[in-house]
mmCIF file of all heavy atoms in Angstrom:
data_model
loop_
_atom_site.group_PDB
_atom_site.id
_atom_site.type_symbol
_atom_site.label_atom_id
_atom_site.label_comp_id
_atom_site.label_asym_id
_atom_site.label_seq_id
_atom_site.Cartn_x
_atom_site.Cartn_y
_atom_site.Cartn_z
ATOM 1 N N LYS A 246 145.129 149.413 81.549
ATOM 2 C CA LYS A 246 145.923 148.869 82.726
ATOM 3 C C LYS A 246 145.705 149.788 83.922
ATOM 4 O O LYS A 246 145.835 149.346 85.047
ATOM 5 C CB LYS A 246 147.419 148.742 82.360
ATOM 6 C CG LYS A 246 147.685 147.678 81.337
ATOM 7 C CD LYS A 246 149.181 147.650 80.966
ATOM 8 C CE LYS A 246 149.422 146.596 79.905
ATOM 9 N NZ LYS A 246 150.817 146.618 79.441
ATOM 10 N N ASP A 247 145.479 151.059 83.668
ATOM 11 C CA ASP A 247 145.267 152.011 84.773
ATOM 12 C C ASP A 247 143.871 151.900 85.405
ATOM 13 O O ASP A 247 143.543 152.543 86.398
ATOM 14 C CB ASP A 247 145.476 153.445 84.326
ATOM 15 C CG ASP A 247 146.906 153.704 83.919
ATOM 16 O OD1 ASP A 247 147.816 153.000 84.442
ATOM 17 O OD2 ASP A 247 147.182 154.635 83.082
ATOM 18 N N TYR A 248 143.008 151.178 84.770
ATOM 19 C CA TYR A 248 141.560 151.013 85.209
ATOM 20 C C TYR A 248 141.197 149.506 85.307
ATOM 21 O O TYR A 248 140.340 149.045 84.564
ATOM 22 C CB TYR A 248 140.660 151.763 84.257
ATOM 23 C CG TYR A 248 141.012 153.206 84.169
ATOM 24 C CD1 TYR A 248 141.832 153.685 83.165
ATOM 25 C CD2 TYR A 248 140.437 154.130 85.024
ATOM 26 C CE1 TYR A 248 142.197 154.992 83.006
ATOM 27 C CE2 TYR A 248 140.780 155.456 84.889
ATOM 28 C CZ TYR A 248 141.651 155.885 83.950
ATOM 29 O OH TYR A 248 141.940 157.274 83.866
ATOM 30 N N PRO A 249 141.735 148.783 86.246
ATOM 31 C CA PRO A 249 141.480 147.421 86.367
ATOM 32 C C PRO A 249 140.020 147.021 86.654
ATOM 33 O O PRO A 249 139.591 145.902 86.389
ATOM 34 C CB PRO A 249 142.377 146.917 87.541
ATOM 35 C CG PRO A 249 142.687 148.172 88.303
ATOM 36 C CD PRO A 249 142.588 149.276 87.365
ATOM 37 N N GLU A 250 139.211 147.991 87.160
ATOM 38 C CA GLU A 250 137.829 147.738 87.438
ATOM 39 C C GLU A 250 137.011 147.699 86.212
ATOM 40 O O GLU A 250 135.806 147.320 86.208
ATOM 41 C CB GLU A 250 137.290 148.782 88.466
ATOM 42 C CG GLU A 250 137.107 150.170 87.880
ATOM 43 C CD GLU A 250 138.428 150.975 87.841
ATOM 44 O OE1 GLU A 250 139.534 150.502 88.097
ATOM 45 O OE2 GLU A 250 138.311 152.197 87.584
ATOM 46 N N ILE A 251 137.529 148.097 85.070
ATOM 47 C CA ILE A 251 136.851 148.092 83.728
ATOM 48 C C ILE A 251 137.314 146.961 82.988
ATOM 49 O O ILE A 251 138.505 146.782 82.761
ATOM 50 C CB ILE A 251 137.068 149.491 83.016
ATOM 51 C CG1 ILE A 251 136.493 150.651 83.837
ATOM 52 C CG2 ILE A 251 136.445 149.440 81.612
ATOM 53 C CD1 ILE A 251 136.780 151.984 83.254
ATOM 54 N N THR A 252 136.371 146.229 82.454
ATOM 55 C CA THR A 252 136.676 145.074 81.587
ATOM 56 C C THR A 252 136.913 145.531 80.156
ATOM 57 O O THR A 252 136.057 146.237 79.585
ATOM 58 C CB THR A 252 135.565 144.044 81.585
ATOM 59 O OG1 THR A 252 135.303 143.646 82.891
ATOM 60 C CG2 THR A 252 135.874 142.820 80.762
ATOM 61 N N LEU A 253 138.120 145.220 79.668
ATOM 62 C CA LEU A 253 138.459 145.591 78.263
ATOM 63 C C LEU A 253 138.221 144.345 77.454
ATOM 64 O O LEU A 253 138.808 143.268 77.735
ATOM 65 C CB LEU A 253 139.896 146.026 78.173
ATOM 66 C CG LEU A 253 140.409 146.236 76.709
ATOM 67 C CD1 LEU A 253 139.728 147.458 76.109
ATOM 68 C CD2 LEU A 253 141.915 146.413 76.722
ATOM 69 N N LEU A 254 137.432 144.453 76.348
ATOM 70 C CA LEU A 254 137.220 143.341 75.496
ATOM 71 C C LEU A 254 137.527 143.857 74.070
ATOM 72 O O LEU A 254 136.820 144.697 73.572
ATOM 73 C CB LEU A 254 135.771 142.842 75.554
ATOM 74 C CG LEU A 254 135.397 141.767 74.601
ATOM 75 C CD1 LEU A 254 136.234 140.479 74.918
ATOM 76 C CD2 LEU A 254 133.933 141.377 74.782
ATOM 77 N N GLU A 255 138.624 143.405 73.505
ATOM 78 C CA GLU A 255 138.988 143.799 72.121
ATOM 79 C C GLU A 255 138.299 142.856 71.153
ATOM 80 O O GLU A 255 138.324 141.681 71.267
ATOM 81 C CB GLU A 255 140.523 143.672 71.995
ATOM 82 C CG GLU A 255 141.039 144.243 70.721
ATOM 83 C CD GLU A 255 142.602 144.101 70.594
ATOM 84 O OE1 GLU A 255 143.243 143.545 71.548
ATOM 85 O OE2 GLU A 255 143.125 144.540 69.546
ATOM 86 N N MET A 256 137.715 143.494 70.119
ATOM 87 C CA MET A 256 137.150 142.649 69.054
ATOM 88 C C MET A 256 137.191 143.407 67.711
ATOM 89 O O MET A 256 137.291 144.584 67.674
ATOM 90 C CB MET A 256 135.688 142.260 69.382
ATOM 91 C CG MET A 256 134.711 143.343 69.567
ATOM 92 S SD MET A 256 132.990 142.810 69.867
ATOM 93 C CE MET A 256 133.020 142.103 71.465
ATOM 94 N N LEU A 257 137.176 142.662 66.636
ATOM 95 C CA LEU A 257 137.165 143.214 65.289
ATOM 96 C C LEU A 257 135.807 143.949 65.091
ATOM 97 O O LEU A 257 134.786 143.515 65.628
ATOM 98 C CB LEU A 257 137.345 142.179 64.245
ATOM 99 C CG LEU A 257 138.660 141.366 64.299
ATOM 100 C CD1 LEU A 257 138.661 140.244 63.354
ATOM 101 C CD2 LEU A 257 139.858 142.306 64.006
ATOM 102 N N VAL A 258 135.801 144.963 64.225
ATOM 103 C CA VAL A 258 134.565 145.687 64.019
ATOM 104 C C VAL A 258 133.493 144.866 63.465
ATOM 105 O O VAL A 258 132.332 145.083 63.903
ATOM 106 C CB VAL A 258 134.851 146.922 63.112
ATOM 107 C CG1 VAL A 258 135.111 146.551 61.701
ATOM 108 C CG2 VAL A 258 133.691 147.956 63.214
ATOM 109 N N ASP A 259 133.740 143.884 62.607
ATOM 110 C CA ASP A 259 132.604 143.082 62.061
ATOM 111 C C ASP A 259 132.004 142.168 63.226
ATOM 112 O O ASP A 259 130.800 142.025 63.289
ATOM 113 C CB ASP A 259 133.044 142.282 60.898
ATOM 114 C CG ASP A 259 134.272 141.390 61.127
ATOM 115 O OD1 ASP A 259 135.055 141.648 62.092
ATOM 116 O OD2 ASP A 259 134.474 140.489 60.278
ATOM 117 N N THR A 260 132.846 141.705 64.087
ATOM 118 C CA THR A 260 132.367 140.907 65.241
ATOM 119 C C THR A 260 131.548 141.850 66.180
ATOM 120 O O THR A 260 130.501 141.471 66.694
ATOM 121 C CB THR A 260 133.567 140.340 66.052
ATOM 122 O OG1 THR A 260 134.320 139.524 65.125
ATOM 123 C CG2 THR A 260 133.093 139.519 67.189
ATOM 124 N N CYS A 261 132.088 143.055 66.355
ATOM 125 C CA CYS A 261 131.357 144.001 67.246
ATOM 126 C C CYS A 261 129.983 144.336 66.667
ATOM 127 O O CYS A 261 129.007 144.379 67.389
ATOM 128 C CB CYS A 261 132.205 145.287 67.475
ATOM 129 S SG CYS A 261 131.517 146.435 68.623
ATOM 130 N N ALA A 262 129.924 144.562 65.332
ATOM 131 C CA ALA A 262 128.664 144.853 64.699
ATOM 132 C C ALA A 262 127.683 143.661 64.867
ATOM 133 O O ALA A 262 126.521 143.886 65.188
ATOM 134 C CB ALA A 262 128.929 145.075 63.229
ATOM 135 N N MET A 263 128.164 142.459 64.740
ATOM 136 C CA MET A 263 127.308 141.300 64.918
ATOM 137 C C MET A 263 126.843 141.215 66.332
ATOM 138 O O MET A 263 125.633 140.944 66.630
ATOM 139 C CB MET A 263 128.046 139.990 64.537
ATOM 140 C CG MET A 263 127.231 138.743 64.765
ATOM 141 S SD MET A 263 128.259 137.234 64.628
ATOM 142 C CE MET A 263 129.234 137.347 66.038
ATOM 143 N N GLU A 264 127.762 141.395 67.314
ATOM 144 C CA GLU A 264 127.404 141.313 68.685
ATOM 145 C C GLU A 264 126.399 142.430 69.132
ATOM 146 O O GLU A 264 125.514 142.243 70.003
ATOM 147 C CB GLU A 264 128.650 141.332 69.609
ATOM 148 C CG GLU A 264 129.398 140.056 69.521
ATOM 149 C CD GLU A 264 128.706 138.909 70.113
ATOM 150 O OE1 GLU A 264 127.980 139.070 71.170
ATOM 151 O OE2 GLU A 264 128.797 137.771 69.560
ATOM 152 N N LEU A 265 126.542 143.558 68.468
ATOM 153 C CA LEU A 265 125.651 144.713 68.721
ATOM 154 C C LEU A 265 124.255 144.351 68.320
ATOM 155 O O LEU A 265 123.290 144.748 69.034
ATOM 156 C CB LEU A 265 126.141 145.959 68.023
ATOM 157 C CG LEU A 265 125.516 147.271 68.340
ATOM 158 C CD1 LEU A 265 125.689 147.558 69.868
ATOM 159 C CD2 LEU A 265 126.144 148.356 67.596
ATOM 160 N N VAL A 266 124.097 143.602 67.308
ATOM 161 C CA VAL A 266 122.737 143.137 66.881
ATOM 162 C C VAL A 266 122.280 141.928 67.757
ATOM 163 O O VAL A 266 121.137 141.898 68.156
ATOM 164 C CB VAL A 266 122.757 142.714 65.355
ATOM 165 C CG1 VAL A 266 121.425 142.071 64.954
ATOM 166 C CG2 VAL A 266 122.977 143.951 64.520
ATOM 167 N N ARG A 267 123.191 140.992 67.993
ATOM 168 C CA ARG A 267 122.841 139.793 68.749
ATOM 169 C C ARG A 267 122.503 140.044 70.178
ATOM 170 O O ARG A 267 121.523 139.516 70.691
ATOM 171 C CB ARG A 267 123.989 138.803 68.637
ATOM 172 C CG ARG A 267 123.650 137.421 69.160
ATOM 173 C CD ARG A 267 124.874 136.531 69.149
ATOM 174 N NE ARG A 267 125.824 136.858 70.203
ATOM 175 C CZ ARG A 267 125.709 136.702 71.482
ATOM 176 N NH1 ARG A 267 124.623 136.050 71.994
ATOM 177 N NH2 ARG A 267 126.648 137.111 72.324
ATOM 178 N N ALA A 268 123.292 140.865 70.835
ATOM 179 C CA ALA A 268 123.143 141.047 72.319
ATOM 180 C C ALA A 268 123.575 142.493 72.670
ATOM 181 O O ALA A 268 124.604 142.662 73.316
ATOM 182 C CB ALA A 268 123.874 140.026 73.072
ATOM 183 N N PRO A 269 122.830 143.546 72.292
ATOM 184 C CA PRO A 269 123.317 144.925 72.576
ATOM 185 C C PRO A 269 123.440 145.226 74.036
ATOM 186 O O PRO A 269 124.218 146.101 74.366
ATOM 187 C CB PRO A 269 122.196 145.746 71.922
ATOM 188 C CG PRO A 269 120.984 144.887 71.830
ATOM 189 C CD PRO A 269 121.528 143.472 71.623
ATOM 190 N N GLU A 270 122.712 144.552 74.936
ATOM 191 C CA GLU A 270 122.842 144.823 76.324
ATOM 192 C C GLU A 270 124.202 144.521 76.918
ATOM 193 O O GLU A 270 124.489 145.005 78.010
ATOM 194 C CB GLU A 270 121.723 144.052 77.086
ATOM 195 C CG GLU A 270 121.902 142.552 77.123
ATOM 196 C CD GLU A 270 121.494 141.741 75.905
ATOM 197 O OE1 GLU A 270 120.974 142.376 74.920
ATOM 198 O OE2 GLU A 270 121.724 140.577 75.809
ATOM 199 N N GLN A 271 125.059 143.815 76.235
ATOM 200 C CA GLN A 271 126.381 143.493 76.693
ATOM 201 C C GLN A 271 127.349 144.680 76.680
ATOM 202 O O GLN A 271 128.328 144.700 77.267
ATOM 203 C CB GLN A 271 127.003 142.267 76.027
ATOM 204 C CG GLN A 271 127.423 142.613 74.585
ATOM 205 C CD GLN A 271 127.935 141.457 73.811
ATOM 206 O OE1 GLN A 271 128.998 140.944 74.187
ATOM 207 N NE2 GLN A 271 127.239 141.006 72.844
ATOM 208 N N PHE A 272 126.916 145.752 75.912
ATOM 209 C CA PHE A 272 127.725 146.888 75.770
ATOM 210 C C PHE A 272 127.317 148.079 76.607
ATOM 211 O O PHE A 272 126.136 148.428 76.563
ATOM 212 C CB PHE A 272 127.785 147.427 74.263
ATOM 213 C CG PHE A 272 128.365 146.374 73.351
ATOM 214 C CD1 PHE A 272 127.516 145.581 72.564
ATOM 215 C CD2 PHE A 272 129.704 146.216 73.198
ATOM 216 C CE1 PHE A 272 128.049 144.628 71.682
ATOM 217 C CE2 PHE A 272 130.235 145.322 72.360
ATOM 218 C CZ PHE A 272 129.420 144.486 71.560
ATOM 219 N N GLU A 273 128.255 148.617 77.358
ATOM 220 C CA GLU A 273 127.940 149.837 78.128
ATOM 221 C C GLU A 273 128.616 151.028 77.381
ATOM 222 O O GLU A 273 128.043 152.057 77.171
ATOM 223 C CB GLU A 273 128.459 149.757 79.509
ATOM 224 C CG GLU A 273 128.011 150.882 80.396
ATOM 225 C CD GLU A 273 128.355 150.642 81.854
ATOM 226 O OE1 GLU A 273 128.391 149.453 82.265
ATOM 227 O OE2 GLU A 273 128.576 151.622 82.549
ATOM 228 N N VAL A 274 129.863 150.775 76.935
ATOM 229 C CA VAL A 274 130.605 151.773 76.227
ATOM 230 C C VAL A 274 131.404 151.107 75.107
ATOM 231 O O VAL A 274 131.908 150.014 75.360
ATOM 232 C CB VAL A 274 131.608 152.577 77.130
ATOM 233 C CG1 VAL A 274 132.447 153.514 76.327
ATOM 234 C CG2 VAL A 274 130.833 153.267 78.220
ATOM 235 N N ILE A 275 131.430 151.693 73.908
ATOM 236 C CA ILE A 275 132.207 151.164 72.787
ATOM 237 C C ILE A 275 133.243 152.243 72.513
ATOM 238 O O ILE A 275 132.812 153.382 72.213
ATOM 239 C CB ILE A 275 131.404 150.804 71.575
ATOM 240 C CG1 ILE A 275 130.432 149.686 71.869
ATOM 241 C CG2 ILE A 275 132.330 150.448 70.432
ATOM 242 C CD1 ILE A 275 129.505 149.363 70.723
ATOM 243 N N VAL A 276 134.524 151.900 72.545
ATOM 244 C CA VAL A 276 135.574 152.859 72.247
ATOM 245 C C VAL A 276 136.253 152.351 70.899
ATOM 246 O O VAL A 276 136.679 151.240 70.932
ATOM 247 C CB VAL A 276 136.631 152.881 73.414
ATOM 248 C CG1 VAL A 276 137.784 153.845 73.029
ATOM 249 C CG2 VAL A 276 135.962 153.303 74.731
ATOM 250 N N THR A 277 136.279 153.227 69.936
ATOM 251 C CA THR A 277 136.796 152.787 68.655
ATOM 252 C C THR A 277 137.320 154.023 67.896
ATOM 253 O O THR A 277 137.196 155.167 68.358
ATOM 254 C CB THR A 277 135.736 152.014 67.892
ATOM 255 O OG1 THR A 277 136.265 151.527 66.719
ATOM 256 C CG2 THR A 277 134.557 152.893 67.547
ATOM 257 N N THR A 278 137.816 153.791 66.685
ATOM 258 C CA THR A 278 138.278 154.903 65.861
ATOM 259 C C THR A 278 137.048 155.509 65.174
ATOM 260 O O THR A 278 135.964 155.056 65.221
ATOM 261 C CB THR A 278 139.212 154.329 64.781
ATOM 262 O OG1 THR A 278 138.504 153.364 64.036
ATOM 263 C CG2 THR A 278 140.441 153.737 65.362
ATOM 264 N N ASN A 279 137.340 156.651 64.574
ATOM 265 C CA ASN A 279 136.216 157.478 63.983
ATOM 266 C C ASN A 279 135.406 156.654 62.900
ATOM 267 O O ASN A 279 134.208 156.689 62.980
ATOM 268 C CB ASN A 279 136.816 158.735 63.364
ATOM 269 C CG ASN A 279 135.757 159.654 62.901
ATOM 270 O OD1 ASN A 279 134.781 159.911 63.606
ATOM 271 N ND2 ASN A 279 135.903 160.157 61.676
ATOM 272 N N LEU A 280 136.074 156.032 61.994
ATOM 273 C CA LEU A 280 135.368 155.304 60.990
ATOM 274 C C LEU A 280 134.508 154.184 61.514
ATOM 275 O O LEU A 280 133.317 154.057 61.211
ATOM 276 C CB LEU A 280 136.355 154.740 59.929
ATOM 277 C CG LEU A 280 135.710 153.869 58.839
ATOM 278 C CD1 LEU A 280 134.726 154.640 57.987
ATOM 279 C CD2 LEU A 280 136.839 153.242 57.960
ATOM 280 N N PHE A 281 135.097 153.329 62.384
ATOM 281 C CA PHE A 281 134.341 152.228 62.929
ATOM 282 C C PHE A 281 133.218 152.754 63.857
ATOM 283 O O PHE A 281 132.175 152.165 63.921
ATOM 284 C CB PHE A 281 135.272 151.242 63.599
ATOM 285 C CG PHE A 281 136.222 150.502 62.741
ATOM 286 C CD1 PHE A 281 137.384 149.986 63.225
ATOM 287 C CD2 PHE A 281 135.907 150.343 61.390
ATOM 288 C CE1 PHE A 281 138.241 149.274 62.355
ATOM 289 C CE2 PHE A 281 136.768 149.629 60.535
ATOM 290 C CZ PHE A 281 137.916 149.083 61.050
ATOM 291 N N GLY A 282 133.532 153.847 64.587
ATOM 292 C CA GLY A 282 132.521 154.408 65.388
ATOM 293 C C GLY A 282 131.330 154.907 64.679
ATOM 294 O O GLY A 282 130.192 154.742 65.067
#
């Protein structure tokens, strides 16, 4: 909320893993917990 210029997209780790393979260029930064990271 303090950074409105940044788009926050929340997704489950399995969805993120799939999207990382399908279209990795959509990610600039991934913020997650240690295990999922």
Side-chain angles (χ1 to χ4, degrees):
K246 291 176 184 174
D247 294 336
Y248 301 91
E250 70 279 8
I251 297 175
T252 302
L253 172 69
L254 179 60
E255 184 180 3
M256 61 177 69
L257 298 172
V258 69
D259 55 341
T260 303
C261 186
M263 179 191 68
E264 288 294 321
L265 191 57
V266 171
R267 189 186 69 77
E270 68 280 357
Q271 70 181 296
F272 296 101
E273 189 171 331
V274 175
I275 297 175
V276 179
T277 188
T278 59
N279 188 47
L280 174 63
F281 292 158

